[in-house]
Amino acid sequence: MFGLNTKDTRLLLIVALLVVLAPFLLNPFPEGSALAQFNAGYPDLMQRFVIFGVFAIGFNILFGLTGYLSFGHAAFLGAGSYAGVWMLKLLTINVIPAIIISTIVAGMFALLIGFISLRRSGIYFSILTLAFAQMAFALAASVLTPITGGETGLQTSLNDPRILDAASEGGNIPAPSIFGLQMRDSFELSVGEWLFTFNTGYYLSGIIMVLAFYVAIRIFRSPFGLMLKAIKSNQQRMHYTGVNTRPYMLACFVISGMYAGLAGGLMVAMDPLAGAERMQWTASGEVVLMTILGGTGTLIGPVLGAGLIKYFENIFSKINDNLLHQWFAFLPDGMEEFMVTIIHPFIGKGWHLTLGLLFMGVVIFLPGGLVEGGQRIARLFSRKKPSGKDGATTRTEPAE
Amino acid sequence: MGILEIKDVNKRFGGLQALGDVNLSVKQNTVHAIIGPNGAGKSTLLNCLVGKLIPDTGSVMFDGQSVLGRTPYQINQMGISRVFQTPEIFGDLSVIENIMIPLFAKRDGAFRLQAISSVDSQTEMRERAEEMLEEVGMQDKRHMHAASMSRGDKRRLEMAMCLIQEPRLLLLDEPTAGMARADTNNTIDLLKEISSTRNITMAIIEHDMHVVFSLAERITVLAQGTPLVEDTPDNIKGHPKVREAYLGETD
Ligand SMILES: Nc1ncnc2c1ncn2[C@@H]1O[C@H](COP(=O)(O)OP(=O)(O)OP(=O)(O)O)[C@@H](O)[C@H]1O
Ligand SMILES: [Mg+2]
């Protein structure tokens, strides 16, 4: 279906289903219960899940297929964000043009940076992309202030021209919308103790992520994708096979940059604000972590990695000592203190520590990321039940 | 005039004269063997033909056009394919994918963006790749991970990758090294058949004299970077200079 084989179609449908049902799935605990803390089904976080999913899917097209590790992908995210806010200011508060232009601008920016950075490979390529991104960050925060709003950032304001719909609004700064439907609009459904929120912005981003995921699958399965995998495997052989690897790499880099720009555009569509910090190296590093954590070169891995990191960032960081005391209240006093002291460094501001340990654990024990973890578990189960014709297939299936 | 004309090629590595005044002409549709002791400069000579190295002096003409100053992919697109001394394959990919990539490169040229159509839908390409696999006797290994195969199989695979491009000149650097006797004989038969049925000129480097004498129509003996003699296999066999160059090398 959709030009995909059965396996890929199934994966796509599962992802689409998860996106649609996320408001339920991420809110498994009743409001007000002790575990409600772990609910992630609120619009702001769900939006981040899918937007960073787009970012990581795009990053994986470059890193997963070709093995070229860009340390500057946040520059494209940032460029897309700025372009998006400008569209909201100049053109219309409708987010569609903003999202499209964000993608295009980031693509052009990637063309420039890629053209130069791809003269080198390996660590030198990584350093070049990092240098460009840091340069972009520094410029955005200083010299380019008229365009980027400098350190305060760029946002929509009352006297924006918005040539397509300036007249339609009254005294307030309008909120980004799609054909009248505001991104922040939500519909709440309460079922007994549970509260589920369905948010316009989330569903727009979610649909776009599913589309982006679909395009990524097509790229992975295309001759272009095969050429990129071959470049990763043996670039020398590619040259002696008559392939000019430069344009393949550049096309890949630009596509990957456009995904980052799309993510940037979605961010400003949800919240019309762009700051230079979005281009900083930490943001570039984050998408690397997401991809590796989920499973480099797999289709679904980057989405899982993005989700996990954003979950940690938003949920673990909110757990504080008070909550811990509540949870361990059933223990004798001394034990309670002890447990809280032990766990304290890993929560709240210490969430980075937890994430770091998790990351190290994955890299050391599961080099294929969460996807490999899932495959190992699946294999454990399938080994238990006897299967008819196994062992005949020698193929070591590349991780999907 | 041969399809490949090498004139006065010199190549130094620091103080080492790896190639000294090499003159060599390979006639169209023949199998030309280049033999010589280890370190004679055989691989270096091939490197100069495919753009991996640039000779210090001299000229290399393929079908009337100079290959010097061209990049490896341009030289391949002219119609020269090479099997390396240590197999150069796509180890991370499956055998069938290894074969399809050179086929895409042949059909699409150095670059063509096909990001949406799927590889699986290219049935005609796939069929040709399958045929090639059958020809080299690897059809039951089509889904194998290329890196996990034996050295001999990697060589056969690399040969298939070159052959499927239907090059006009095929350069083979010790194609049977590391192969079992049976595979070596199969390879001889395959190369024999290909050279007699298709328009492929071959230059082959080989230490195995059985292979050399089964295939070659002309033989050039290279020693210390310079061609010693060039002649037919029969004359080479009894040539005193050749015996001298090989004495002590093999026994
Ligand atoms: N890139 C290089 N840099 C420096 N020296 C080199 C290089 N390539 C080859 N040589 C040297 O040039 C000489 C010829 O090497 P070459 O690989 O061409 O020999 P060969 O005839 O192919 O030998 P063999 O039968 O062992 O493959 C050797 O002494 C080798 O050490
Ligand atoms: Mg050699």
Side-chain angles (χ1 to χ4, degrees), chain A residues 320-322 324-325 328 331 333-347 353:
Chain A
N320 53 31
D321 285 0
N322 284 340
L324 286 183
H325 279 291
F328 293 111
L331 291 171
D333 264 2
M335 277 296 279
E336 182 185 328
E337 272 315 313
F338 178 71
M339 288 305 288
V340 172
T341 320
I342 293 253
I343 298 180
H344 174 82
F346 297 95
I347 51 152
L353 179 61

Side-chain angles (χ1 to χ4, degrees), chain B residues 13-14 16-19 36-45 47 53 85 173-174 205 207 222:
Chain B
F13 294 116
L16 176 82
Q17 182 89 33
L19 294 175
N38 291 113
K42 304 179 298 292
S43 297
T44 304
L45 183 61
N47 288 345
L53 288 176
Q85 193 167 352
D173 200 342
E174 303 190 21
I205 294 174
H207 283 297
L222 208 63

Side-chain angles (χ1 to χ4, degrees), chain A residues 45-62:
Chain A
L45 183 53
M46 287 195 297
Q47 287 168 3
R48 246 173 279 168
F49 282 157
V50 289
I51 292 173
F52 279 92
V54 171
F55 191 20
I57 291 170
F59 182 79
N60 187 48
I61 290 177
L62 178 68

